[in-house]
Amino acid sequence: LFDFKIILGKNGVPVAENFRLEQSTIADMVQAGQVRVKTLYLSVDPYMRCRMNEDTGSDYLLSWQLSEVADGGGVGVVEESKHENFAKGDFVTSFTWPWQTVAILDGSVLQKLVPQLVNGRLSYFLGAAGITGLTALLGVREKGHVAVGANQTMVVSGAAGACGSLAGQIGRLEGCSRVVGIAGTDEKCSILVQEMGFDAAINYKKGNVAEQLRELCPGGVDVYFDNVGGDISDTVISQMNQNSHIILCGQISQYNKDVPYPPPLPPDTEKIQKERNITRERFLVLNYMDKYEASVLQLCQWIQAGKLKVR
């Protein structure tokens, strides 16, 4: 089997030298309660940057350990089972899947998948019908205060990313009348508008973002799905309306810096937030696991109906 091992960092941008690829052998025997799985898909996610630090800065995330196999969301197929819930050929997933081609796992950490729910696209269980999609859906529903008929404008930063591209579409499905994305290339902006139904998209690397926002959101911003933090977020917040809402999903512009999460806003931006009574609360998708099943089914229904476009 091949596995990836991690070498911990603290600050700065991760580089190839932080990882190594090893070839090793796997145990012959599958014990009672275990299954042997072949890895089909692994999810590489922004939160993993935090796991490369000795302290993740979070009470729900453990650091990857030096020279141990990295892990995260994964999907695979059962090759041998000694667990009553799984049989050879079953497709399974786990949030703690090791980055190796073959693994022997405790059956208690696995969930069985139904490929038909995602039209056979198993990788969707790590994206649009997995934690990524749940984060977008529950973020909009729990922190966005979106209401049908309220004529709300939503702005999404990191809009062409796995979560942002779903969040904008879900904002529309939940009732927003206008959705504007912010992304980093013309191609991404084009995909957002032409394929994913955003009303408009701003390439933040071109032109004046504040001016473009004023033009595209003439009534101000009511809901901001924030994936990036930093200067982009300060610009959006400056144009948010009274009693509006920030969905604090991620702050990727800050992940390679030694700052607390969520990072504090600059004084001028914080003043706007307080004066306009803008909510900005971190949310953790794992706190809404009572809504997990119904939410995944909703995402799958939208995918099957073609209402949620996935790349």
Side-chain angles (χ1 to χ4, degrees), residues 10-21:
K10 284 186 179 177
N11 284 313
V13 178
V15 293
E17 288 71 32
N18 296 134
F19 299 85
R20 71 175 185 264
L21 177 64

Side-chain angles (χ1 to χ4, degrees), residues 280-298:
R280 182 183 183 258
E281 305 159 350
R282 65 181 300 184
F283 79 98
L284 181 58
V285 71
L286 300 175
N287 288 344
Y288 299 100
M289 285 300 100
D290 57 319
K291 300 181 179 179
Y292 176 90
E293 246 176 81
S295 299
V296 168
L297 282 174
Q298 174 66 86

